[in-house]
Amino acid sequence: MRILKCRICGKNQFIDLFSLGKQPPANNFLSSTEQEVEFYPLDVRMCDHCKLVQLSDRILAEKLFSNYNYIPSVSKNLDFHFQLLAKQIWKRYKLKSDDLIVDIGSNDGLLLGHFRSLNAQILGIEPASNIAGLAKERGIPTINSFFNATLAKQLIKTYGKAKIITATNVLAHVHNIKDFINGVEIFLDEDGVFIAEFPYLADLIQKNEFDTIYHEHLSYFSLKPLVYLFSNPGLNLFDVETTSVHGGSIVIYASKKEKQVGISLKNLLAREEEFKLHDKSTYSDFFKRISSLASKLREHICAQKSMGRKIIGIGAAAKGTILLNFTGLDSTYIEYVVDNTPYKQGKFIPGVNIQIFPEGKMYTDKPDIALILAWNHQEEIISKHSQLLKDDRKFIIPIPNLKIIS
Ligand code: TYD
């Protein structure tokens, strides 16, 4: 459905930036190749007023998130990242064991598990029932619901107010962001802090990460529109940090009490201006770069295939669905993709009909080339599977530029 108003400022003037064409919902893996695939537009635009870069259309959240495939626990590096984040928050805010920590979009409880190890009171809120179930099995108290102001009002009656509210890799997925932030304000203690981590637009543009554009990601955040979002008196955005997860992310900090805006926030805002992050020309240049990158990758894979090489993919990431569909690399070229997420194994990548298998398959098959679709985990994947590189086999990293590892 077409989005009529900007979700941050409510204005309806948009600047069209570029289009990735019609693509399937990236995480909707198919049970069989007979299953019908739905394609929806992936058009990117910018609000002319607050400068939020966003998709023009959305698929209802209930359709995308009620049963979900994304589980960060499959990555050791992400687990380590969350462990550090939990420790850092615990120390910075001098938390105590009776302080309530709420994680919105808590997934299988990976981050909350680290807070539990620090003896905190924890509560997860997770809309996907299959994943909320996994968290409960791990003993992580989890409310299976979307988060909004109405839910926040109900929850404070039972749980009281939260000292810390976290949301990692969630904000970009939320359509009604004002209601979400309103809910955070209701749920947060007077001296509590809201901490959100999400992919950063400047990284996406600078590193050609076009495949991270998919229907679940409704917003592509820079700091500028976030300053607008937090300009109401309820919550103040006071600090920002950059992190390397998911191709480059930022962590924002907001509270009711803290009014002092940190230097890192001012610096990052200045860098966005320097980089012309809100100029239309930045996006036409980006689109030229990614079109050329997609052609190069396709030509390389086609040439290898015509020489009889066996080519597979590693990591059935959502971004892989977009990369394969945008470059037109289907099961004619990529024999299969391996992935260590049990939910994905046996299924097919929508639009390209490539089947997903456990990682073990590539050890018996020994393909000549493996395209690393989950390039955000490349260090972990390469170190885990480096023995496969023997005998002239190769890995290809597609983003930010075609890189061949032998
Ligand atoms: P993910 O990081 O969740 O990206 P996206 O948001 O685009 O889906 O995807 C990573 C995928 O890669 C996930 O399905 C798990 C898989 N994976 C492996 O198969 N092996 C590995 O060693 C790692 C780290 C990830």
Side-chain angles (χ1 to χ4, degrees), residues 17-38:
L17 299 177
F18 59 88
S19 170
L20 296 185
K22 283 192 169 178
Q23 302 294 348
N27 264 315
N28 284 13
F29 299 100
L30 312 175
S31 308
S32 89
T33 50
E34 308 296 299
Q35 204 177 320
E36 202 186 324
V37 184
E38 293 167 327

Side-chain angles (χ1 to χ4, degrees), residues 27 69-72 74-76 78 169 211-212 214 216-217 246 314-320 338-341 344 359 373-374 376-377 380-381 384-385:
N27 264 315
N69 285 303
Y70 174 74
I71 308 174
V74 295
S75 161
K76 284 203 184 93
L78 261 184
N169 215 4
D211 52 350
T212 62
Y214 47 88
E216 285 167 24
H217 296 160
H246 295 303
I314 303 185
K319 58 175 75 61
V338 294
D339 194 289
N340 61 3
T341 316
K344 297 186 184 178
E359 288 179 322
L373 298 165
N376 50 323
H377 300 292
E380 190 170 342
I381 289 173
K384 188 159 61 163
H385 303 301

Side-chain angles (χ1 to χ4, degrees), residues 139-280:
I140 307 281
T142 303
I143 307 289
N144 179 205
S145 175
F146 285 98
F147 180 76
N148 53 32
T150 313
L151 183 73
K153 280 181 203 152
Q154 285 166 11
L155 292 178
I156 50 172
K157 288 185 202 149
T158 314
Y159 298 93
K161 294 214 171 187
K163 267 276 157 28
I164 297 288
I165 298 180
T166 52
T168 63
N169 215 4
V170 174
L171 232 48
H173 304 63
V174 178
H175 174 54
N176 194 344
I177 201 158
K178 286 201 147 174
D179 186 33
F180 185 98
I181 296 297
N182 196 5
V184 170
E185 204 181 314
I186 291 166
F187 210 166
L188 199 62
D189 199 77
E190 287 316 299
D191 60 358
V193 185
F194 171 57
I195 300 164
E197 182 180 57
F198 43 82
Y200 184 41
L201 177 65
D203 286 295
L204 188 162
I205 299 301
Q206 283 168 323
K207 298 183 215 156
N208 299 333
E209 296 166 353
F210 71 88
D211 52 350
T212 62
I213 298 171
Y214 47 88
H215 302 98
E216 285 167 24
H217 296 160
L218 293 164
S219 306
Y220 300 86
F221 289 111
S222 53
L223 260 190
K224 196 182 177 92
L226 288 168
V227 169
Y228 190 102
L229 177 68
F230 286 96
S231 60
N232 77 31
L235 280 176
N236 311 298
L237 185 62
F238 65 90
D239 201 5
V240 64
E241 281 162 9
T242 53
T243 64
S244 63
V245 294
H246 295 303
S249 297
I250 52 175
V251 186
I252 58 162
Y253 292 77
S255 83
K256 298 181 185 175
K257 218 164 100 181
E258 179 74 60
K259 306 275 185 237
Q260 188 85 29
V261 173
I263 186 79
S264 45
L265 209 140
K266 290 180 188 158
N267 286 344
L268 207 57
L269 276 172
R271 284 227 299 275
E272 290 184 356
E273 295 306 314
E274 253 169 62
F275 180 65
K276 297 190 172 40
L277 195 55
H278 307 105
D279 286 14
K280 190 174 174 170

